[in-house]
Amino acid sequence: MQQSTSARQHALAPGLTEFHAVMRTGSFAGAAADLQLTPTTVSRSIHRLERRLRLRLFAPEGRGIVATPAAVELALYAERALDDLALGLQRADLKASPVPLIRLGFIRTLGASFVPRIVAAYRRPHPDVRFVFEQGVTDDLLDAVAARRIDAALVSPPPQREGLTVTPLFDQALVVVPPPDSPLARRDEVTLAELADEGFILAQAGLGTRAATDALFLGAGFEPRIVLETEDMAMARAMAQEGLGLALVPGPAPGDPPFPHGHVRLTDAAAVRSVVVVTASGDERTPAAEFARFVAGRGHLDDEG
């Protein structure tokens, strides 16, 4: 029978786990009950930890104990460490499984439709492959691939980093979603320069989409008036529909349905972002590398039976 996560964390890092349990429950007895130990065992362990760390972590208070300022500070980092340890145990379980595994990361804008479609297409000829998904921003996903925390990532823009294999997938247009009562709503296309006086709803700073739109504005020769920023492009489009500004967002990915309220195409040649799949270099025979080649070979991925 599989042990609980806390029991497995305790096996790997007993002092850290017991300290965190005491902080969480406020007593040696509470921590002991959580960890299925005796209060005496926990008390001795904490005193031993204090000696080794040369830090006073708990002080007597009435019939109980109180955490010292040093313990309160340390507890912030202990919780993060245990969260990472729990994730590591989960990933270790997955690696130990005989079932082929692909840990796939992706940026938010690809998650609603494109990722489910490519995974479904891949699993038709590979039904035994298991996927674990992680959504994030491009830089964080690239760090995760480099550190082997995930196996592949669908990102934009293409990275310039050593140690990564970058496979191009498709170019995705950057488009404008105007308010429904805007004169732009009746147009099929527009140049970005025509919109210099408008207020824009943009991707949040730090996202790959924002890097693409910033470069687009730079090329058009003006600095945009930003009225709203968000990490959710569906929300940006919804805000535009409520008349809050012009949303400048990636258009539908290949094979995705059109936006419900349409969009206006930008005629600027630079109004595009490149989407790629990234894997760690040297892993050409892994399931993730095979997946990358599969997706690149079917970059359009129209719905198929």
Side-chain angles (χ1 to χ4, degrees), residues 47-272:
H47 291 319
R48 186 165 53 248
L49 185 64
E50 288 178 320
R51 289 194 300 272
R52 289 175 177 174
L53 297 180
R54 297 181 181 178
L55 279 176
R56 185 73 180 273
L57 299 174
F58 301 98
E61 184 178 71
R63 301 180 67 179
I65 56 171
V66 62
T68 66
V72 173
E73 182 70 16
L74 182 60
L76 300 174
Y77 298 91
E79 185 164 3
R80 294 176 200 169
L82 287 170
D83 286 343
D84 285 344
L85 192 56
L87 179 60
L89 286 166
Q90 180 188 44
R91 297 291 173 84
D93 286 337
L94 292 170
K95 281 292 189 181
S97 170
V99 176
L101 171 70
I102 298 175
R103 299 167 298 175
L104 178 64
F106 54 88
I107 52 178
R108 180 189 290 267
T109 49
L110 300 178
S113 179
F114 184 75
V115 170
R117 191 166 64 254
I118 61 173
V119 170
Y122 184 76
R123 290 194 78 244
R124 281 193 282 271
H126 305 91
D128 59 330
V129 175
R130 181 179 177 185
F131 281 83
V132 175
F133 300 110
E134 181 169 324
Q135 182 175 276
V137 300
T138 292
D139 284 344
D140 290 347
L141 294 172
L142 295 176
D143 289 343
V145 172
R148 304 298 205 274
R149 294 193 300 271
I150 61 176
D151 303 305
L154 298 161
V155 300
S156 179
Q160 302 292 326
R161 291 197 192 187
E162 294 184 359
L164 298 176
T165 298
V166 179
T167 304
L169 295 184
F170 57 85
D171 287 336
Q172 187 175 15
L174 297 172
V175 302
V176 172
V177 178
D181 59 353
S182 168
L184 285 171
R186 296 187 293 274
R187 295 183 59 175
D188 294 324
E189 60 184 33
V190 67
T191 65
L192 190 60
E194 293 178 73
L195 309 178
D197 295 328
E198 301 285 348
F200 285 90
I201 303 168
L202 299 180
Q204 191 172 305
L207 299 181
T209 299
R210 180 60 176 271
T213 56
D214 283 351
L216 185 59
F217 284 118
L218 184 64
F222 72 94
E223 186 172 333
R225 179 168 61 89
I226 302 171
V227 294
L228 292 166
E229 297 178 69
T230 176
E231 64 177 15
D232 187 335
M233 296 299 93
M235 181 180 289
R237 301 197 306 269
M239 288 175 173
Q241 286 299 306
E242 294 298 325
L244 298 175
L246 300 181
L248 181 53
V249 298
D256 279 0
F259 292 154
H261 302 288
H263 63 267
V264 180
R265 187 175 70 87
L266 286 169
T267 59
D268 305 65
V272 65

